[in-house]
Amino acid sequence: MTTTAPRPAPRLFGDHFLLALDGGERALIERLRALCRDTIGPQAAAVAKQDVFAWDTFRTLAREGIVATAFPKAYGGTDARQALRIRVIEELGRVCSTAASIITGTDLSSRAIVAGASEDLKRELVPKLCSGELQAAFALTEPSAGSDVRGLQTRIRRTDDGYVVDGRKKFITRATTADWFAVVGRAEDDPSTFIAVLVHRDAPGLTVSPEVGKLGWFGVPISSLRFEGIAVPASHRLGAEGEGFSLAQDALLRARIGHAAMALGRAIGAVEIAATYATDRETFGQPLGRHQGVQWMFAEMVTQIEAARALLALTADKYDRGDADVAIFASMAKLQATDLCMKVVTDALQLTGGRGYLQDFPLERFFRDAKLNQIGEGASEVHKTVIGRDVVRRASAAERNPCLRAGSLVDY
Ligand SMILES: Cc1cc2nc3c(=O)[nH]c(=O)nc-3n(C[C@H](O)[C@H](O)[C@H](O)COP(=O)(O)OP(=O)(O)OC[C@H]3O[C@@H](n4cnc5c(N)ncnc54)[C@H](O)[C@@H]3O)c2cc1C
């Protein structure tokens, strides 16, 4: 007699967004859900106990083909649409920020290689990046260039057979485990030209600092880098000279979509946890969840999360179609999802009272992890600036609202 595993109970947040996926994509999500239920979720607290690279989680995600979703089929990947990637990252973010950030970090660290490396280099590196045999890191931020990334000071000098790199990078994820670093700097003889190159971790002149302690996002440590006269062969340039900045923007675009998905996954997880508590806990003679004030908090959380998921799904569709305005939508989705996640996690922790504040309770970890989504890949304020500037730029050429009289509004 064969026994079948019991079907999991329906989720608090329904599966409506899975309707946009095809059968194969849905099967991958089902496999991932089982993995999250059996392995990644139960292990998340232990993984996030100390800030050392989460090799077991990384190897599991590589073995299960989740890392490969970031890469093209021609090099061993699966060519996953963003419509699927946001669901993958949301599933992981619901239980484990470390696992989710390993996947968004794969986009950030490897995209410039996929988009800009020579065919030979791609054939050599990308299949191993897919399988987890190799890791890359993305080295853009510098001590004096964070939000204002055009302030980069790393110098890249042309030589007869390649380049020499000098400079410093800060906050680089996976710096202690990466085999290769995608580095963006300026041409020494023409600072307006941005160049991206690939530097091997054993290159003479490269110093990786010890891992730097941080508030959350344990399992994906960061370090600083120093480049002193590092020789790079011309074959290791990414893209053409002058394309360094656009390669960085291309990587950041995918990573921003990933940050939004991770934040929404975490927000969903936080509501699930708080709602379970509101069922289990009684205050003033009735279950916590029966109090109207608590119900209103849940109502706001759920409504805003579903709205942000819809914005992110639209953004993913725009990416998959190649729409010209996808970058602005990615800024809106990241701004909306990450600020919302911080609020939802704070409110969910409030609803779980003293227990929410305990290290043993998952919301303490969710709370610490939520903050970085508002800072990395462009802080919320920077995205507001980008979005607002775009509105003002387009306004003068946009169709006038038909309620208005002709002429300048100043004449009203
Ligand atoms: C855990 C972690 C991992 C990271 N991983 C990587 C990585 O792998 N590779 C990489 O290259 N970088 C990485 N970073 C760097 C990250 O992208 C930067 O921290 C981020 O872009 C912000 O830059 P900054 O920290 O220098 O902040 P600053 O530029 O000093 O800005 C500080 C704050 O000022 C505000 N602000 C800035 N500009 C404006 C403005 N115009 N208007 C209004 N407010 C503004 C924002 O609130 C911002 O948070 C990582 C950072 C962290 C903390």
Side-chain angles (χ1 to χ4, degrees):
M1 196 177 82
T2 56
T3 53
T4 49
R7 283 183 72 78
R11 292 204 179 172
L12 198 56
F13 286 78
D15 283 341
H16 32 274
F17 283 106
L18 298 190
L19 297 175
L21 304 183
D22 67 27
E25 292 171 331
R26 279 209 288 275
L28 183 126
I29 294 295
E30 287 309 324
R31 281 207 316 277
L32 183 61
R33 285 184 169 186
L35 191 66
C36 287
R37 206 163 41 236
D38 300 339
T39 310
I40 293 177
Q43 290 175 359
V47 165
K49 272 273 181 296
Q50 42 172 331
D51 200 7
V52 294
F53 188 74
W55 279 108
D56 284 352
T57 309
F58 175 73
R59 290 193 181 112
T60 301
L61 292 170
R63 191 180 59 240
E64 297 292 331
I66 308 299
V67 171
T69 60
F71 297 98
K73 262 196 188 125
Y75 308 101
T78 70
D79 259 338
R81 301 184 298 150
Q82 284 297 315
L84 172 62
R85 298 264 304 156
I86 58 172
R87 301 276 79 87
V88 166
I89 295 166
E90 188 184 86
E91 288 295 328
L92 295 170
R94 174 175 170 256
V95 292
C96 178
S97 297
T98 304
S101 65
I102 283 173
I103 299 303
T104 57
T106 299
D107 268 319
L108 184 68
S109 59
S110 303
R111 178 66 187 172
I113 299 172
V114 170
S118 68
E119 192 55 29
D120 283 350
L121 205 51
K122 278 198 275 210
R123 296 220 169 275
E124 181 191 334
L125 301 183
V126 179
K128 292 180 179 164
L129 290 167
C130 287
S131 65
E133 276 172 79
L134 286 180
Q135 274 191 38
F138 178 65
L140 182 68
T141 306
E142 298 182 0
S144 57
S147 301
D148 182 8
V149 77
R150 283 189 181 271
L152 293 184
Q153 302 202 338
T154 292
R155 282 172 294 124
I156 302 189
R157 179 164 52 85
R158 296 183 186 94
T159 61
D160 289 344
D161 54 357
Y163 302 91
V164 171
V165 183
D166 284 280
R168 288 162 66 201
K169 296 286 178 182
K170 193 171 171 67
F171 299 127
I172 306 307
T173 306
R174 302 188 190 198
T176 48
T177 53
D179 303 278
W180 292 93
F181 296 89
V183 182
V184 186
R186 297 171 181 279
E188 189 172 70
D189 57 356
D190 175 12
S192 65
T193 298
F194 289 94
I195 301 175
V197 293
L198 207 50
V199 172
H200 192 266
R201 74 167 303 103
D202 294 334
L206 172 61
T207 311
V208 180
S209 80
E211 290 164 353
V212 182
K214 50 186 165 59
L215 175 70
W217 277 49
F218 285 7
V220 278
I222 56 172
S223 298
S224 298
L225 304 174
R226 186 180 284 276
F227 302 91
E228 288 170 302
I230 295 183
V232 177
S235 59
H236 286 186
R237 190 186 67 226
L238 301 173
E241 284 189 10
E243 286 181 359
F245 199 76
S246 52
L247 281 173
Q249 290 300 333
D250 176 57
L252 287 166
L253 173 59
R254 290 173 68 100
R256 281 170 187 150
I257 294 173
H259 262 261
M262 183 195 315
L264 289 176
R266 189 185 303 111
I268 287 169
V271 173
E272 291 173 334
I273 291 166
T276 304
Y277 185 75
T279 309
D280 291 351
R281 176 70 167 167
E282 287 206 358
T283 66
F284 302 98
Q286 60 177 340
L288 184 62
R290 290 260 178 89
H291 296 285
Q292 191 183 48
V294 172
Q295 291 176 356
W296 284 15
M297 285 173 78
F298 281 126
E300 286 191 9
M301 291 194 251
V302 170
T303 305
Q304 290 170 14
I305 288 171
E306 292 292 16
R309 291 174 96 194
L311 175 61
L312 181 60
L314 176 64
T315 305
D317 281 345
K318 281 183 172 290
Y319 186 96
D320 291 333
R321 279 198 306 267
D323 287 1
D325 57 359
V326 62
I328 290 292
F329 274 79
S331 283
M332 289 196 279
K334 181 180 184 282
L335 171 67
Q336 178 69 14
T338 61
D339 283 0
L340 177 64
C341 174
M342 193 73 244
K343 181 175 186 317
V344 165
V345 170
T346 304
D347 287 350
L349 197 152
Q350 184 73 16
L351 278 175
T352 54
R355 289 167 183 81
Y357 200 67
L358 300 180
Q359 285 187 352
D360 196 31
F361 204 77
L363 289 179
E364 178 262 356
R365 170 168 56 89
F366 282 33
F367 184 78
R368 288 184 292 105
D369 291 339
K371 195 64 210 163
L372 186 68
N373 291 106
Q374 294 179 294
I375 295 172
E377 268 65 296
S380 296
E381 295 75 14
V382 172
H383 289 294
K384 280 186 202 172
T385 304
V386 167
I387 298 160
R389 195 170 48 206
D390 179 67
V391 172
V392 174
R393 182 183 61 77
R394 289 188 299 111
S396 57
E399 183 195 5
R400 266 171 88 93
N401 188 295
C403 310
L404 293 170
R405 292 204 301 257
S408 168
L409 298 199
V410 179
D411 296 333
Y412 260 82

